[in-house]
Amino acid sequence: MRDHDDLKQFFAEAGHPAFRADQLLRDVCKRGATNYEDMSNLPVSLREVLKAQLPVLSIEEKEVSLAPDGSVRKVLLRCKKDGKKIEAVLMRFDDGRRTVCVSSQVGCAVGCKFCATGKMGFTRNLTYEEIADQVLFFVLDLKDYGEEITNVVFMGMGEPFNNYDNVMRAVRHLNDSRALGLGARNMTLSTAGVVSGILKLADEGLQVNLAISLHSPIQKLREKLMPIAAKYPLDDLMSAVSEYTKETHRRVSYEYVMLAGINDDVSLAHELGKLCKGQLCHVNLIPYNFTKGNRFKRSAQDSIDEFKRIVETYNVPITVRVSLGQGIDAACGQLAS
Ligand code: SAH
Ligand code: SF4
């Protein structure tokens, strides 16, 4: 569903009053109406126009995969405008959180070596509507079960800051109380380290969370794992984060995928500890999830525990992420259409 600005313009051009925009958003986002026939508060003639010109959702479900325990639901979605496919994932955590992981692009140009999306290459940016509709899709889906979406993470396919404007517009749309009204504090943007995006975000005045995919505290190794590190070196990345923290006073999180024998050595744990010491940050260790076409292996549990213990000696808060959805290829890094 389009955002309030777009709808206002649409109705103005069609010669209808602006309050129709609020009404339509309310019908879809709050009442859960999925087709115009059910919106009896709109004039019949207007419903015909809307039906022809403005689909309620810009994407449609092609396939659903469910984890056997019901904790994860992955959907393959088809973009109505050109048939491109993307994936979005719903995670149902034991603590009650209902988190949607959304894609921001079809494919990704960054090409991280351990990521299935990176293997696909880049096709196109998603529109703000296609991004926000992944959340709306699950909101509508969960209504039948009496559940609500609580969180959104931009950790699906694509690099959000390579599609900055659409991503920010989607965030504002999702946040809009006339639409879904999701708290900005409950949304997390994850970037492979696009410095310009981090600096821009610092000036948005939004309470969203920022996650940075670090994966190595050392430039040389980081560059091997993530080619984008050559364009945005670690020093520049750290300066941008420091600028961001000064501006927003918000805690950033660093993502660190644990690859056996590659970036899980104790010496790197010390380097990571030194790098993060004193920063307003949190480190998330992500045990590597299997993807085709590379030789990486997940670090052993002992190495992960030891790595974590060492980083903690630098007074850096650190946790190991529980990865849901590996069985259905829905975990971090496994999304590819
Ligand atoms: N493009 C953004 C967001 C999407 S990826 C980014 O890179 O930050 C979400 C997270 O999953 C990132 O931290 C990414 O590095 C991580 N990831 C990618 N492939 C993975 C894999 N095979 N196993 C575990 N985590 C992976
Ligand atoms: Fe793109 Fe993120 Fe995958 Fe890297 S990890 S290839 S940035 S989606």
Side-chain angles (χ1 to χ4, degrees), residues 233-261:
L234 202 51
D235 289 346
D236 296 358
L237 178 57
M238 289 301 121
S239 310
V241 171
S242 141
E243 188 70 24
Y244 173 86
T245 317
K246 226 186 325 175
E247 200 84 25
T248 64
H249 308 288
R250 296 189 66 78
R251 183 182 301 271
V252 298
S253 47
Y254 290 116
E255 316 282 295
Y256 197 104
V257 60
M258 295 296 284
L259 306 164

Side-chain angles (χ1 to χ4, degrees), residues 13 26 47 60 73 93 103 105 119 124 141-142 149 173 195 201 213 261 265 276 281 283 286 294 305 323:
E13 281 165 13
R26 203 176 322 120
R47 278 188 258 163
E60 62 194 348
R73 186 181 307 214
F93 292 99
S103 295
Q105 299 180 311
K119 291 266 139 47
R124 73 163 168 88
D141 198 39
L142 282 192
I149 297 301
H173 181 25
V195 164
L201 182 65
S213 298
D265 193 80
C276 297
C281 74
V283 175
I286 318 172
N294 64 53
D305 293 343
S323 266

Side-chain angles (χ1 to χ4, degrees), residues 304-324:
I304 297 178
D305 293 343
E306 179 63 0
F307 197 91
K308 175 170 178 279
R309 192 193 61 73
I310 294 170
V311 174
E312 276 169 343
T313 64
Y314 292 86
N315 286 321
V316 174
I318 178 167
T319 44
V320 181
R321 177 177 295 167
V322 229
S323 266
L324 299 180

Side-chain angles (χ1 to χ4, degrees), residues 73-305:
R73 186 181 307 214
K74 176 173 85 166
V75 282
L76 177 68
L77 298 161
R78 179 184 177 279
C79 297
K80 287 183 182 166
K81 75 169 185 183
D82 62 0
K84 297 283 181 257
K85 309 261 175 48
I86 53 169
E87 291 187 322
V89 180
L90 167 72
M91 289 163 284
R92 301 172 68 250
F93 292 99
D94 289 341
D95 62 7
R97 271 176 303 147
R98 299 291 175 261
T99 302
V100 183
C101 176
V102 298
S103 295
S104 55
Q105 299 180 311
V106 184
C108 182
V110 175
C112 302
K113 300 288 190 252
F114 43 79
C115 171
T117 312
K119 291 266 139 47
M120 295 172 58
F122 173 72
T123 305
R124 73 163 168 88
N125 281 330
L126 293 178
T127 65
Y128 84 83
E129 188 185 12
E130 289 165 336
I131 298 170
D133 276 353
Q134 296 168 60
V135 181
L136 182 55
F137 173 88
F138 280 116
V139 166
L140 297 171
D141 198 39
L142 282 192
K143 263 213 160 63
D144 299 342
Y145 304 90
E147 290 188 3
E148 284 177 11
I149 297 301
T150 58
N151 296 73
V152 175
V153 296
F154 286 71
M155 296 189 182
M157 299 160 65
E159 164 51 48
F161 287 171
N162 282 347
N163 185 15
Y164 189 89
D165 292 344
N166 285 311
V167 164
M168 291 323 296
R169 191 163 175 187
V171 167
R172 291 207 152 84
H173 181 25
L174 291 168
N175 184 227
D176 187 346
S177 57
R178 295 165 297 194
L180 291 175
L182 286 164
R185 285 167 186 274
N186 294 340
M187 296 190 231
T188 301
L189 300 176
S190 177
T191 177
V194 177
V195 164
S196 52
I198 296 170
L199 295 175
K200 259 199 266 179
L201 182 65
D203 291 330
E204 294 280 354
L206 271 170
Q207 305 277 46
V208 290
N209 304 299
L210 176 62
I212 294 172
S213 298
L214 196 60
H215 307 320
S216 163
I218 288 180
Q219 173 63 18
K220 223 169 144 191
L221 174 60
R222 193 162 185 270
E223 229 176 284
K224 267 193 204 152
L225 298 171
M226 321 169 69
I228 195 175
K231 185 167 174 199
Y232 300 110
L234 202 51
D235 289 346
D236 296 358
L237 178 57
M238 289 301 121
S239 310
V241 171
S242 141
E243 188 70 24
Y244 173 86
T245 317
K246 226 186 325 175
E247 200 84 25
T248 64
H249 308 288
R250 296 189 66 78
R251 183 182 301 271
V252 298
S253 47
Y254 290 116
E255 316 282 295
Y256 197 104
V257 60
M258 295 296 284
L259 306 164
I262 306 281
N263 68 350
D264 63 349
D265 193 80
V266 293
S267 65
L268 291 172
H270 285 287
E271 290 303 321
L272 182 61
K274 285 182 210 157
L275 186 72
C276 297
K277 193 180 160 78
Q279 286 192 36
L280 184 60
C281 74
H282 176 104
V283 175
N284 240 318
L285 299 179
I286 318 172
Y288 168 71
N289 296 310
F290 174 79
T291 60
K292 272 188 225 131
N294 64 53
R295 291 148 172 265
F296 294 122
K297 283 203 174 64
R298 167 181 292 207
S299 304
Q301 192 57 49
D302 284 358
S303 332
I304 297 178
D305 293 343

